[in-house]
Amino acid sequence: MTLQEIIQKLESTEFQANISSLSGFRTVLTALDSIEIVQDLVDFLADKPADQKLAIDFIKVKLSDFEAGYAHPHDISITALLYALEKVESAVSLNILETIRERKEFFWARYMAQKIISEKLHNLPQKP
Amino acid sequence: LRNDEAEALYSAYSGFMQRKQFVLLDYLLPPEEDKVVYARDGWIIPSRTLAKESREALLNRAKHWELYRPKAVLRSLSHTDYPYNCVGMVFATRRKWIDIDHIEVILQHDGYRQISKLSVVAGDIVLYRDDKNDYSHVGLIILAERNRDTMNIKVLSKWGKDGEYEHFEEDVPPFAGKAVEYWTERHL
């Protein structure tokens, strides 16, 4: 399976419906933990570090692909990609995370970006 | 983030257990100037507004649920400027998105108490928990028929960003969890 094929499944109505029908970010994380295609994505990115950059490039390209005032059409697939990239400890730039966090057209992806930013801060070494 | 913001966040987080972080995320996201939702005792319920879904996306997902949850009856699709979720439907009269993680505190501030399944009547609420035993969904009970020692319960609930559905209590999306608790604010 290629990254493109996995992303197509993340953009399928079935995957979108399974996530968009949820009402809490923690529940979304629990769902992502158990959905097979997401775990396939995590394994895929862990095995193919070069594709981690492709996944980040996909996010970058799709950031501005939305109609103002409407929910971002790639919100859920970007959420899943951020989740997987975090699992394989691939560094998504703070700039991308901040852009997602600030953009009101995103929803679950904003929570995911905020979570990653917060954990980056939390993992900073303690001051002496 | 500016350095002082980062330090403030770092300091806030260092005192929180992992479980609390998810509730905190609502406070860390950029603030919204919007109508406030109050609990019955005056507590401000953390809520969010979100961009409305395209009609096409909503209809596609409604068709999906028609196929995968055929017994659930679609009542409405919320193609509005104020999308709401299951908690917003029950506690904010269909105006706001309130993360399910806040449900425990809302019940406390609104004076709800837990009841047995056999005591349920229409107007009470049902809570769902997911595989990790966290609250994942809430619905308004619209029919409760007792048949000896079992109850036939129908629920009206909003499926996240998707439609409002009338359904049997177990007939929810796959990751919305299982009906496990029944609560009421009735005074007997």
Side-chain angles (χ1 to χ4, degrees), chain A residues 17-18 20-26 29 33-35 70-71 98 101 107 110-111 114 118 121 126-127, chain B residues 7 10 22 26 28 48 52-53 61 65 85-86 97 99-101 132 134 159-162 174-175:
Chain A
N18 282 338
S20 69
S21 58
L22 302 177
S23 282
F25 182 59
R26 193 209 306 258
L29 290 179
D33 283 343
S34 57
I35 294 177
Y70 281 90
E98 286 286 1
R101 177 185 178 271
F107 191 64
R110 291 179 85 192
Y111 278 89
Q114 179 64 64
S118 301
L121 290 170
Q126 287 275 5
K127 284 185 175 175
Chain B
E7 285 203 16
Y10 179 80
F22 294 95
D26 257 344
L28 291 173
R48 303 203 73 79
K52 71 175 169 185
E53 293 281 299
R61 297 201 301 262
W65 293 125
N85 64 349
C86 57
W97 182 285
D99 197 295
I100 190 71
D101 270 356
K132 291 187 180 165
D134 291 316
W159 293 2
K161 294 178 177 181
D162 291 353
F175 299 99

Side-chain angles (χ1 to χ4, degrees), chain B residues 4-23:
Chain B
D4 57 334
E5 286 176 329
E7 285 203 16
L9 277 180
Y10 179 80
S11 137
Y13 263 78
S14 57
F16 275 84
M17 294 160 60
Q18 180 71 23
R19 189 171 171 75
K20 298 279 185 195
Q21 287 187 4
F22 294 95
V23 172

Side-chain angles (χ1 to χ4, degrees), chain B residues 155-180:
Chain B
V155 174
L156 179 67
S157 75
K158 177 77 162 54
W159 293 2
K161 294 178 177 181
D162 291 353
E164 242 181 65
Y165 287 86
E166 195 178 306
H167 57 88
F168 291 105
E169 62 174 343
E170 68 280 4
D171 220 7
V172 292
F175 299 99
K178 288 182 180 152
V180 286

